[in-house]
Amino acid sequence: MPNRQEQQGRQPELRRRSESGLVDPRLRNDVLALILFVGIGTMLSVRFSLVSHLQILLEQHESIAWLEGASFLIVLLLGTLGFLIRRLYVLQSRMASVASQPVVEIVEDAGLHDPVTELPGRQMWKRRLEQELSRSVRERSQVAVIALDLDRFKQVNDVFGQDVGDALLRVMANRLTGVVRDMDTLLRMGADEFLIIQPGLDSHDGAVSLAKRLIAATVEPMQVGEHQIPMSISIGIVLSSSDCRDCEKLLQRANIALDRAKVAGGSVYRFYEAEMDLQLQLRQRMEQDLRKAIDKGSLALHYQPLFNVTDQRLLGFEALLRWQHAELGFVSPADFIPLAEETGLIMGIGEWVLEQACRDALLWAGDRKIAVNLSPIQFRDPELPSKIAAIIKRTGLPPERLELEITEGVLIEDADTALAMLVELKALGVRISMDDFGTGYSSLSYLKRFPFDKIKIDRSFVSQLVIGSEDAAIVRAILALGHSLGMIATAEGVESAEQFDYLQLEGCDEAQGFLLGRPMPFEYALALCKVPDGQLENVVRPLAAAHLPRVAAGRG
């Protein structure tokens, strides 16, 4: 049986021969056989005619044309008969060869290989898995179905182009091929998805060992032309069992485990567990309900007030999305926002939030601003600046009253593209704020490359804000940095008078949190705007203190 390298190299070699104009060896052999049989027929006919009939023909004074015609017919008959015998022999040989041919060779001969990686393609996974499952019953062994997915592969195509992406897939396929055994089957299922069928297992240890080797083989960056591209993989594994030998179900379970691995981060493997099915069903139901909520207008905006720390003047609000489910009650944004991002629903939701927040802000007295969070998914849309410009034009909101909040996740994925988009947004006249400042690893470099209007100190530093603590030192440093760069500094999550007093002492510009006002429906925000600035503390703080334990789950 040919080894894996010979199998994978066979199709490229045949294609190179075809492209170079060389004759197919099988056709050449047929032509040589025809010439051989014609030659033999010619020799026999000439010998027969001259030896046996020449004297008779000469005695009867017949024309020599008869001799030539008879020789020609004999040559033609023998040549044709020999050629037919040759073709029948070749056909029988090929049928016998196909019957004993390895699965991988059958794939290639049938043209069912992936043209990019030269691996068997998706069409063959089920046939191959059925063969291994049948063998596992006889041998009383298990088969592992291993689904692999490249993490953040789409970014490679977006940044470097599809040609580099295809080249990276070939490099990845070579690395994976070098890890699996000869008896394993490696297939490309499409896009950045691969599948490994690993037979002959006595326990899950063999699958664990292979998963670890696969991850180790992809740790080093991929060398693609002049580019060194880091790439990690996520792995989902399921083992066949006596109660599950259905190919489709095994593949589905491997993909469920793969989804769990991707949530856990890159270079991770996860085995399928029964409770994953229940979680998948809940997720699918949540997705369906979220789509209905969008169509029925069941989503709502709540507004958390933002105050000037020095004089406690109301500056504006941050718009926060809320979902009151008919059966589940309040659904935390931490649960449904990631789901909306994964499914792409965030694009439509994000546009609705922007437009509704701008329309609501028009009804607030004065020039109070409205802050809206942008998802990293929205930043992948090159039309985002034009869409925001259209919303500003439709609503009539002065652009300087709109504040767009982004997190470092937007910049980490593709800093150059994101920063170019921020420049376009800034040109509209809106204000740009970096949310959750201090939690990322490269915030300072982003502040140097782009002139943000505001940095928001993450609530994780404010929640433990005690004079003399490490968090207090970090907050003081962030405030000094922001002021030195001409940026406004806002503290999130202010929940105690001690925290507020410290921020006031250190010269923090703005603050928001339950101490100053919890997220509230539009009608309450509108009423709050009508309270004179000098009386806000007397109205907001007692209300917030009374509701603080009860509304903790609704934090924005």
Side-chain angles (χ1 to χ4, degrees):
M1 178 181 296
N3 58 34
R4 187 168 54 252
Q5 287 79 10
E6 293 172 344
Q7 294 167 352
Q8 294 177 351
R10 185 165 173 260
Q11 281 290 341
E13 176 63 24
L14 289 178
R15 185 161 56 250
R16 283 194 296 269
R17 291 180 180 180
S18 176
E19 291 172 351
S20 62
L22 297 179
V23 177
D24 191 318
R26 292 173 293 188
L27 178 60
R28 181 188 59 198
N29 292 339
D30 290 340
V31 173
L32 291 176
L34 178 60
I35 295 173
L36 176 63
F37 283 112
V38 169
I40 294 174
T42 302
M43 292 174 58
L44 292 175
S45 63
V46 170
R47 173 177 174 78
F48 174 78
S49 299
L50 293 178
V51 174
S52 302
H53 298 286
L54 181 57
Q55 184 177 356
I56 299 173
L57 292 171
L58 292 175
E59 291 176 355
Q60 296 177 354
H61 304 285
E62 295 287 344
S63 173
I64 199 66
W66 184 91
L67 177 60
E68 293 175 349
S71 300
F72 175 79
L73 290 175
I74 295 174
V75 169
L76 182 61
L77 177 62
L78 291 177
T80 302
L81 181 62
F83 182 75
L84 291 175
I85 294 173
R86 159 70 183 173
R87 295 308 301 161
L88 288 174
Y89 173 79
V90 169
L91 179 61
Q92 182 181 7
S93 300
R94 288 179 183 173
M95 291 178 65
S97 175
V98 169
S100 61
Q101 199 174 7
V103 173
V104 175
E105 290 187 9
I106 295 175
V107 172
E108 293 175 345
D109 286 345
L112 298 179
H113 66 287
D114 171 53
V116 175
T117 62
E118 298 297 340
L119 295 174
R122 183 182 181 89
Q123 300 92 328
M124 289 303 300
W125 76 270
K126 192 171 184 178
R127 185 191 305 180
R128 181 61 175 150
L129 181 55
E130 286 175 345
Q131 291 175 342
E132 293 299 350
L133 289 174
S134 298
R135 182 183 300 175
S136 69
V137 174
R138 298 192 301 269
E139 299 178 353
R140 296 183 180 180
S141 60
Q142 289 181 295
V143 179
V145 179
I146 305 175
L148 296 89
D149 188 89
L150 277 60
D151 301 317
R152 298 176 298 278
F153 175 73
K154 183 179 182 300
Q155 297 176 24
V156 175
N157 280 337
D158 293 342
V159 175
F160 300 105
Q162 186 175 348
D163 289 343
V164 174
D166 288 347
L168 186 142
L169 288 172
R170 285 190 287 271
V171 174
M172 177 62 72
N174 289 335
R175 290 197 184 185
L176 298 179
T177 299
V179 173
V180 299
R181 306 170 300 176
D182 288 341
M183 63 189 300
D184 300 333
T185 302
L186 172 64
L187 309 99
R188 184 188 176 201
M189 300 295 282
D192 58 343
E193 301 171 0
F194 294 85
L195 188 73
I196 296 176
I197 300 173
Q198 183 187 23
L201 299 180
D202 297 325
S203 66
H204 76 290
D205 293 342
V208 170
S209 177
L210 176 56
K212 290 181 178 179
R213 295 198 307 272
L214 291 168
I215 292 174
T218 57
V219 169
E220 293 296 325
M222 307 286 171
Q223 186 68 46
V224 182
E226 59 183 10
H227 307 290
Q228 273 203 338
I229 304 174
M231 183 60 59
S232 60
I233 59 174
S234 297
I235 303 174
I237 309 171
V238 64
L239 295 178
S240 64
S241 60
S242 58
D243 63 339
C244 184
R245 295 187 182 277
D246 180 82
C247 294
E248 296 287 352
K249 185 170 290 186
L250 287 171
L251 180 63
Q252 180 188 32
R253 291 180 174 181
N255 284 325
I256 291 174
L258 174 61
D259 290 340
R260 178 63 62 86
K262 292 187 74 68
V263 171
S267 298
V268 173
Y269 68 88
R270 290 288 184 268
F271 276 86
Y272 169 81
E273 299 173 358
E275 57 267 24
M276 290 181 181
D277 268 337
L278 178 59
Q279 294 175 357
L280 177 63
Q281 294 173 11
L282 291 175
R283 183 185 182 278
Q284 291 174 340
R285 180 192 171 188
M286 183 78 72
E287 179 182 346
Q288 293 173 356
D289 291 346
L290 182 56
R291 292 182 185 275
K292 294 177 182 178
I294 297 171
D295 296 336
K296 295 180 179 179
S298 301
L299 298 177
L301 289 182
H302 282 201
Y303 296 94
Q304 185 168 31
L306 178 69
F307 289 91
N308 182 289
V309 173
T310 302
D311 56 15
Q312 299 186 34
R313 177 168 49 91
L314 179 63
L315 300 174
F317 297 86
E318 178 181 357
L320 299 169
L321 188 62
R322 295 292 182 256
W323 182 17
Q324 190 72 23
H325 194 280
E327 298 177 11
L328 302 177
F330 174 80
V331 182
S332 171
D335 293 330
F336 74 84
I337 292 296
L339 176 62
E341 291 179 332
E342 292 174 17
T343 58
L345 294 174
I346 194 65
M347 303 297 286
I349 293 175
E351 289 188 44
W352 175 82
V353 169
L354 269 167
E355 183 148 353
Q356 188 62 45
C358 290
R359 293 189 185 280
D360 288 347
L362 280 174
L363 302 177
W364 297 333
D367 58 353
R368 293 185 173 101
K369 56 191 174 184
I370 178 65
V372 179
N373 293 277
L374 293 180
S375 165
I377 307 300
Q378 290 176 272
F379 258 72
R380 297 175 185 172
D381 181 9
E383 302 298 322
L384 179 63
S386 60
K387 290 179 179 179
I388 294 179
I391 290 174
I392 292 173
K393 183 177 180 179
R394 283 197 302 269
T395 60
L397 182 75
E400 62 272 13
R401 291 182 59 187
L402 176 59
E403 191 171 278
L404 303 176
E405 297 187 1
I406 68 167
T407 63
E408 273 191 287
V410 170
L411 299 164
I412 289 174
E413 290 189 2
D414 185 0
D416 292 335
T417 301
L419 290 173
M421 186 172 291
L422 288 175
V423 171
E424 290 188 59
L425 293 174
K426 192 74 176 290
L428 299 176
V430 302
R431 299 169 62 82
I432 308 295
S433 172
M434 177 178 279
D435 200 7
D436 302 333
F437 184 82
T439 58
Y441 64 87
S442 54
S443 297
L444 295 180
S445 65
Y446 298 141
L447 292 184
K448 179 180 178 181
R449 297 180 64 184
F450 182 81
F452 288 89
D453 297 292
K454 177 193 290 189
I455 52 177
K456 299 188 72 173
I457 305 172
D458 187 69
R459 67 175 65 251
S460 62
F461 300 117
V462 178
S463 62
Q464 304 296 325
L465 196 55
V466 180
I467 295 177
S469 66
E470 291 182 355
D471 287 337
I474 292 174
V475 170
R476 185 183 301 114
I478 294 175
L479 291 173
L481 174 64
H483 292 156
S484 66
L485 295 175
M487 301 177 185
I488 294 174
T490 301
E492 298 180 288
V494 180
E495 298 184 356
S496 71
E498 291 77 13
Q499 294 169 359
F500 184 84
D501 292 341
Y502 179 84
L503 293 169
Q504 193 174 46
L505 179 66
E506 292 295 333
C508 184
D509 302 295
E510 302 173 354
Q512 64 184 92
F514 284 163
L515 175 70
L516 305 171
R518 64 188 180 90
M520 59 188 71
F522 169 72
E523 293 77 12
Y524 289 87
L526 185 61
L528 187 62
C529 290
K530 299 177 181 179
V531 177
D533 288 336
Q535 301 179 23
L536 280 171
E537 182 176 0
N538 298 329
V539 174
V540 173
R541 284 200 180 187
L543 181 65
H547 289 82
L548 183 58
R550 182 171 63 84
V551 302
R555 178 177 306 171

